[in-house]
């Protein structure tokens, strides 16, 4: 909340790196440092143990900050088992279950440390529930900043584990984001890479999210300061927001525990099986080349349907999937997100149309009004309702485009159109003579639409 009028470009918060909770600070800690500086501990384990230690330390300089942190979260990590089925989406429920398994795995990995130092880590303060809380603190409040400190060495098995987690993310989301996947929630700073550092900056992480958040933030590695700067003027008494990246409601709920109405970034994840192959010995050069395109251009992840259209990656993936051998030289056109041919796009939109129908059939219509507002059941029903909205809009959109493409193909092939119209002619008195040409555009449109939708025409 602005306590006075604020000018555009004014620095709102400026904090030195030394006040942040980071992995480096944990490893420099006079008590924890030697215990946590083990190659088998990943960054999340180090940070969660550091957060829990500071939360329970009586003389911690961070005790006031720790008291301001939420005591519980409303993310799916805390949902009862009966709430998950309301999502009605195996991708979403699978993500929640894998995230819980990941937290359990991290917790199991520090059990020997907790048990061997009971005076430092009392069992009643270092439970799985407490570790889950610390993980949610880290996941929902940490900023990703360029690390000003050397990164510690990791064993190969830890790197492999992290790569496996990333692969699970790509497989599940077929999206997120957006390059926003697991670490997309690092307090709106984007994906955390190997050179980045988790950092909890007291005060800065207290700012709420808004789609219209008009502030800029960043870390200057030369001055070692984290700053938040206004991007417009603010009047006294006006709340100042951050924008936690461009996330849909599923990602906001998964990482922060809340949902925003009319979120333009909502999307529905799409999973497609890999292109069918037998073996490299039996496949043709064309089939192998198509498979290589899927692998080299990552055409099986980041696939999504949004409120307004299909992602470029999804369209590229489908266009190459349905590409015929004579069309293969146009694969660069498909990779750019452009159509290859009318026949190819007709197959693409027919596939999308069928996919939307199939997904809608598996989504039960459970009104969120059946549950208390803000409850886990309500949140799950909200996500399912948003999924239905996106799929219904996509079905209408893809069905319309499919009709247009089929009509274009038919109009370009009058010899193919007339026999189909003749088969339907007896249903329309004004077409009692099958040989009579039909010139009226709307009548042709009517017949072609019926043929397309009822007879599932294949181009």
């Amino acid at each position: 909340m602005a306590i006075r009028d604020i000018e555009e470009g004014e620095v709102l918060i400026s904090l030195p790196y030394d006040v942040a909770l980071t992995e480096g600070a944990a490893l420099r800690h006079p008590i924890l440092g030697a215990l946590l500086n083990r190659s088998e501990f990943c960054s999340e384990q180090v940070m969660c143990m550091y957060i829990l230690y500071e939360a329970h330390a009586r003389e911690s300089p961070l005790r006031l900050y720790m008291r301001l942190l939420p005591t519980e979260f409303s993310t799916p990590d805390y949902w009862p088992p009966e709430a998950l089925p309301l999502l009605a989406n195996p991708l979403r429920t699978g993500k929640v279950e894998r995230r819980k398994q990941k937290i359990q795995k991290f917790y199991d990995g520090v059990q020997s440390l907790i048990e061997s130092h009971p005076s430092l880590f009392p069992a009643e303060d270092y439970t799985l529930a407490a570790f889950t809380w610390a993980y949610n603190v880290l996941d929902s409040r940490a900023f990703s900043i360029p690390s000003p400190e050397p990164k510690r060495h990791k064993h190969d098995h830890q790197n492999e584990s992290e790569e496996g987690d990333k692969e699970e993310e790509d497989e599940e989301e077929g999206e997120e984001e957006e390059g926003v996947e697991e670490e997309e929630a690092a307090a709106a700073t984007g994906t955390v890479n190997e050179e980045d550092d988790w950092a909890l900056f007291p005060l800065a992480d207290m700012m709420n999210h808004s789609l219209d958040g008009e502030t800029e933030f960043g870390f200057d590695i030369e001055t070692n300061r984290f700053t938040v700067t206004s991007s417009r003027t603010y009047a006294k008494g006006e709340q100042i927001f951050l924008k936690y990246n461009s996330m849909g409601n599923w990602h906001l709920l998964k990482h922060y525990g809340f949902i925003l109405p009319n979120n333009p970034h909502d999307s529905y994840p799409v999973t497609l099986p890999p292109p069918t192959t037998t073996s490299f010995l039996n496949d043709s050069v064309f089939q192998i080349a198509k498979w290589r395109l899927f692998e080299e251009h990552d055409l099986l992840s980041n696939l999504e349907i949004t409120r307004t259209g299909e992602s470029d990656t999804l369209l590229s993936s489908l266009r190459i999937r349905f590409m015929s051998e004579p069309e293969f030289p146009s694969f660069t056109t498909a990779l750019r997100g452009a159509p290859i041919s009318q026949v190819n796009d007709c197959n693409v939109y027919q596939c999308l149309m069928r996919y939307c129908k199939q997904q809608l059939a598996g989504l039960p219509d459970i009104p969120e009004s059946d549950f208390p507002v803000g409850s886990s059941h309500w949140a799950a029903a909200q996500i399912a309702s948003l999924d239905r909205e996106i799929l219904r809009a996509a079905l209408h959109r893809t069905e319309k485009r499919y009709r247009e493409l089929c009509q274009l193909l038919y109009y370009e092939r009058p010899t193919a159109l007339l026999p189909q119209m003749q088969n339907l002619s007896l249903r329309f008195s004004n077409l009692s003579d099958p040989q009579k040409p039909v010139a009226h555009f709307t009548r042709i449109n009517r017949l072609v639409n019926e043929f397309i939708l009822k007879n599932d025409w294949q181009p």
Side-chain angles (χ1 to χ4, degrees), residues 172-369:
E172 184 278 325
E173 294 299 341
E175 321 166 0
E176 89 274 42
E177 24 301 159
E178 335 91 342
V180 281
E181 251 335 297
E182 171 117 66
E183 285 81 14
E184 82 224 331
T189 58
T191 303
V192 177
N193 59 48
E194 292 183 356
E195 303 305 318
D196 288 340
D197 205 2
W198 296 97
L200 287 164
F201 283 99
L203 181 62
D205 65 355
M206 301 292 176
M207 298 179 73
N208 288 329
H209 168 71
S210 170
L211 293 170
D212 302 319
E214 294 181 341
T215 51
E216 295 179 357
F217 52 89
F219 183 78
D220 189 333
I221 202 163
E222 294 183 359
T223 61
N224 273 3
R225 295 191 75 85
F226 178 84
T227 59
V228 178
T229 307
S230 64
S231 299
R232 66 172 178 85
T233 58
Y234 287 90
K236 180 180 179 180
E238 190 175 356
Q239 186 170 358
I240 301 172
F241 293 94
L242 282 179
K243 183 178 181 179
Y244 298 177
N245 224 323
S246 299
M247 295 183 185
N249 276 321
W250 167 242
H251 292 94
L252 290 174
L253 178 64
K254 184 174 63 175
H255 295 287
Y256 302 97
F258 64 84
I259 293 172
L260 294 178
N262 304 316
N263 189 336
H265 305 296
D266 283 332
S267 63
Y268 187 86
V270 176
T271 54
L272 295 174
T276 54
T277 58
T278 52
S279 71
F280 281 145
L281 291 177
N282 296 326
D283 287 345
S284 68
V285 173
F286 168 60
Q287 289 172 313
I288 296 172
K290 280 178 68 172
W291 176 253
R292 286 281 300 274
L293 288 178
F294 275 88
E295 284 193 325
E296 292 176 2
H297 297 276
D298 196 20
L299 294 177
L300 292 176
S301 61
N302 298 322
L303 311 179
E304 62 180 1
I305 298 171
T306 69
R307 290 180 179 272
T308 57
E310 295 68 50
S311 67
D312 288 342
T313 308
L314 175 57
L315 290 175
S316 295
S317 179
L318 288 173
R319 282 166 177 154
I320 290 177
R321 182 180 296 268
F322 291 112
M323 180 188 293
S324 65
E325 189 166 352
E327 292 173 334
F328 188 77
S330 303
F331 75 86
T332 54
T333 302
L335 291 174
R336 291 196 302 269
I340 298 174
S341 68
Q342 289 179 1
V343 170
N344 180 275
D345 252 24
C346 197
N347 281 316
V348 167
Y349 281 93
Q350 183 187 57
C351 177
L352 286 169
M353 184 174 66
R354 288 174 173 173
Y355 183 85
C356 291
K357 288 179 179 179
Q358 179 188 37
Q359 296 299 304
L360 280 169
L363 280 174
D365 195 355
I366 303 175
E368 57 267 25
S369 57

Side-chain angles (χ1 to χ4, degrees), residues 48-49 52 56 78 103-104 106-108 110-111 114 121-135:
C48 287
M49 291 297 291
L52 282 175
H56 294 291
Y78 291 86
I103 295 173
Q104 178 75 62
F106 286 162
Y107 178 67
D108 292 342
V110 297
Q111 270 298 293
I114 294 171
F121 311 120
E124 63 273 17
D125 293 336
Y126 288 80
T127 62
L128 175 60
F131 194 89
T132 300
W133 171 83
Y135 187 88

